Amino acid sequence: MNIKIITDSASDLTSMEGIDMAYAPMKVCTAEREFTDDDGINAREMVDFLYSYKGRSSSSCPNAEDWLTAFGDAEHIVCITITGGLSGSYNSALSAKTIYESDHPDRRVLVVDSLTAGPEMALMAERVRDLALEGKNLEEIEAGLKTYKTELLFALESLRNFANNGRVSKAAAAAAGLLGIRAIG
């Protein structure tokens, strides 16, 4: 079975060896600039800008059209999104799935809410690749993901961007910075 893996850019994956893979880019937005998380992003420039930016920032998940572009003309797709608890990416991917399967009744899209972000999404994508290369179908891949468990920890150097986009109060972010507190998830 020919399977294509698609993630949003929160996975930090742009390609995978041995399987067709694509991603749908997320965005970081301010009143002055928008940064699209694709191959052309200058991460250092974005971080420097956001560090000095005094206004509000926000993020934007891929919309249904972004997902459809990533789907391309694949017959069988496994789509892994950042946790639905932090983003609307999962819901956008579900909308794209509905459109895609309606336009292509002979094709199938499996949308997976990773319930995580970053490296753990990449590990899930690698698991999907391994199952696909073993010849598993979408139902078997879905079952394999339900039993697949990882435990990753991460630390944030600063809560400043969370404060700028309203996810934590500015006072809490400032206090954490003064006390040297790092967020660990």
Side-chain angles (χ1 to χ4, degrees):
M1 176 176 284
N2 188 12
I3 292 177
K4 182 175 186 177
I5 298 172
I6 302 172
T7 68
D8 55 44
S9 59
S11 72
D12 294 328
L13 283 175
T14 57
S15 65
M16 293 184 75
E17 189 173 322
I19 198 160
D20 191 13
M21 196 251 164
Y23 69 96
M26 300 185 94
K27 297 179 177 103
V28 175
C29 310
T30 70
E32 295 176 17
R33 295 196 57 191
E34 180 177 282
F35 298 91
T36 301
D37 190 12
D38 60 15
D39 291 335
I41 193 168
N42 181 328
R44 172 58 25 208
E45 180 183 345
M46 180 186 74
V47 168
D48 290 346
F49 175 82
L50 291 173
Y51 187 76
S52 64
Y53 184 68
K54 302 297 182 204
R56 190 170 173 88
S57 63
S58 64
S59 59
S60 173
C61 68
N63 60 39
E65 188 60 38
D66 294 327
W67 285 111
L68 289 168
T69 298
F71 290 178
D73 64 353
E75 291 182 44
H76 304 285
I77 298 166
V78 177
C79 181
I80 302 170
T81 71
I82 189 172
T83 178
L86 292 177
S87 172
S89 189
Y90 176 71
N91 290 328
S92 292
L94 286 175
S95 294
K97 167 190 166 73
T98 300
I99 295 166
Y100 194 77
E101 289 180 344
S102 175
D103 291 347
H104 308 283
D106 58 327
R107 300 178 186 184
R108 218 141 146 257
V109 180
L110 169 64
V111 179
V112 178
D113 182 342
S114 71
L115 304 175
T116 191
E120 199 164 17
M121 290 175 66
L123 291 172
M124 290 177 77
E126 289 173 5
R127 180 67 179 143
V128 169
R129 178 198 56 204
D130 294 345
L131 291 169
L133 293 176
E134 290 173 15
K136 305 292 185 193
N137 63 33
L138 287 181
E139 291 79 19
E140 293 167 320
I141 290 171
E142 183 175 24
L145 284 176
K146 286 182 179 176
T147 61
Y148 182 66
K149 301 289 182 221
T150 62
E151 291 186 31
L152 292 179
L153 294 177
F154 64 90
L156 298 176
E157 181 177 333
S158 165
L159 296 178
R160 187 170 190 275
N161 284 335
F162 280 173
N164 284 350
N165 66 30
R167 294 183 190 254
V168 300
S169 73
K170 290 190 185 283
L178 289 172
L179 297 172
I181 296 172
R182 304 278 192 269
I184 298 177

